[in-house]
Amino acid sequence: MASRDVLKSRFLTYDKMYTHEMREQSFIEWPFREECNCTPEKMAKAGFVHCPSENEPDVACCFFCLIELEGWEPDDDPCRSEHAKRSPNCGFLLMKKDFTELTVSEFFHLEKERLKTYIRKVCYNKMAYMRDEVDHMLEGLKSQLDSI
């Protein structure tokens, strides 16, 4: 499956990930447990969802800002030193209340921001794909011209 298809399929379920329990459930096969700082509970509290791949069993993605992090170490602090450092403007991290305490208006504002992040990321990925295709086409045309 292409990376943009993976992003799309993940995103379609991420609206359910506002709840801590749903995020924590995604860490069933998480390689780090109690003796580590990056336990499933702490990862979920930081807004992460476990989204492993065949080659990378410790990939976690913030359901809100969509930042993906891998290469976790047992002492990593999922919220402070990892998520906040790499995505300081994440709407989830900036939330002042627990999800269950949000008003409908606050929730819709957050969801609008989450959707804008998703659309930006999809557009960026599509533009990068198109740039690669154009570069590939130009290389082919150049090699054809060089062979004349």
Side-chain angles (χ1 to χ4, degrees):
M1 188 179 325
S3 65
R4 67 176 187 254
D5 293 336
V6 171
L7 177 65
K8 182 180 177 184
S9 67
R10 278 189 207 153
F11 186 81
L12 293 175
T13 62
Y14 279 7
D15 64 330
K16 298 167 183 64
M17 295 299 172
Y18 277 97
T19 63
H20 181 272
E21 294 80 23
M22 290 295 289
R23 292 191 305 276
E24 192 170 355
Q25 287 176 13
S26 73
F27 286 91
I28 292 171
E29 296 179 23
W30 184 243
F32 301 101
R33 293 293 165 185
E34 290 77 27
E35 65 278 358
C36 300
N37 199 27
C38 52
T39 62
E41 181 183 357
K42 289 180 181 178
M43 295 295 290
K45 187 174 182 176
F48 288 113
V49 175
H50 187 211
C51 49
S53 67
E54 271 185 47
N55 300 329
E56 299 163 346
D58 70 339
V59 177
C61 179
C62 173
F63 84 98
F64 196 94
C65 70
L66 302 176
I67 188 170
E68 288 187 12
L69 301 176
E70 62 180 279
W72 291 90
E73 296 181 9
D75 293 337
D76 287 341
D77 179 346
C79 187
R80 292 200 174 105
S81 65
E82 302 305 324
H83 194 176
K85 180 170 53 175
R86 290 174 175 80
S87 187
N89 296 319
C90 174
F92 176 78
L93 292 179
L94 298 175
M95 244 183 356
K96 304 286 187 238
K97 301 178 182 179
D98 183 71
F99 168 71
T100 58
E101 298 169 350
L102 294 175
T103 65
V104 171
S105 177
E106 291 168 330
F107 170 75
F108 281 121
H109 175 74
L110 278 172
E111 189 60 5
K112 179 181 83 172
E113 292 304 311
R114 190 179 75 83
L115 289 169
K116 283 176 18 183
T117 299
Y118 169 73
I119 290 167
R120 247 185 255 116
K121 189 162 187 168
V122 167
C123 288
Y124 175 82
N125 288 345
K126 285 186 179 193
M127 289 186 316
Y129 174 78
M130 290 177 69
R131 276 192 297 271
D132 290 345
E133 289 294 308
V134 167
D135 289 346
H136 181 70
M137 186 180 293
L138 287 173
E139 286 175 18
L141 289 171
K142 185 177 184 251
S143 69
Q144 284 180 356
L145 288 173
D146 289 345
S147 67
I148 295 178

